[in-house]
Amino acid sequence: LSAPGAAAVSEAEAKLQAAEAEKAEIKQLREDVKAAFTRLRTAHAAQAQTAAQTVLAYVGNALKQPDEEKFRRIKLGNAAFQSRVASLEGGLDIIRIAGFTESDGEFLRLPASGAERRLQAAQTELQVQLLYL
């Protein structure tokens, strides 16, 4: 191949590798959400649906309005969050897999950018898991 042709092939290979890496990352995120939700469902069967729906509300709001700060954070002391998610085994794991991290001891926050893939993977897998309840 000529130099321009080789560069195009190399660029195409790089794009393919990036796409494969992204696919593998999404698959791993979904597997992690499934494992955390399975732990939650096993330990707290009666609360599993409410927990999943609560996390889906947080994730869905963050995806729909990514620039709205109130949807990019969760107050750890919120009574509803505590009873529906945080107090359940696996609940905080799901939120963290979705991209929320503890920032100051008071809130879980999404990073300023780059959270969309994690949020979408968590949303998709939780929706699938709800079908099995």
Side-chain angles (χ1 to χ4, degrees):
L1 290 173
S2 65
V9 168
S10 180
E11 184 179 329
E13 287 174 351
K15 285 181 181 179
L16 180 60
Q17 288 175 347
E20 289 297 321
E22 181 178 335
K23 184 177 174 181
E25 179 187 4
I26 291 168
K27 181 179 179 186
Q28 185 61 55
L29 288 167
R30 288 191 58 189
E31 287 174 4
D32 292 348
V33 168
K34 181 179 180 180
F37 186 73
T38 298
R39 286 193 313 277
L40 188 151
R41 185 181 64 231
T42 300
H44 311 280
Q47 295 129 309
Q49 183 171 356
T50 298
Q53 290 170 334
T54 301
V55 172
L56 282 169
Y58 285 116
V59 168
N61 286 336
L63 284 167
K64 287 178 197 161
Q65 298 182 54
D67 297 327
E68 186 67 46
E69 179 60 28
K70 70 180 179 180
F71 296 130
R72 300 184 62 75
R73 67 176 187 221
I74 302 168
K75 188 170 183 151
L76 284 167
N78 178 292
F81 177 70
Q82 280 297 318
S83 67
R84 295 176 189 168
V85 179
S87 66
L88 307 179
E89 182 180 338
L92 281 176
D93 293 336
I94 296 169
I95 285 287
R96 289 184 176 120
I97 295 163
F100 288 88
T101 58
E102 198 165 328
S103 62
D104 55 11
E106 187 177 351
F107 289 97
L108 293 169
R109 294 183 192 276
L110 287 171
S113 63
E116 186 174 334
R117 183 179 308 152
R118 296 181 76 87
L119 290 165
Q120 288 174 336
Q123 181 181 52
T124 300
E125 189 58 37
L126 281 174
Q127 289 169 336
V128 168
Q129 292 305 309
L130 279 173
L131 295 174
Y132 295 107
L133 291 181

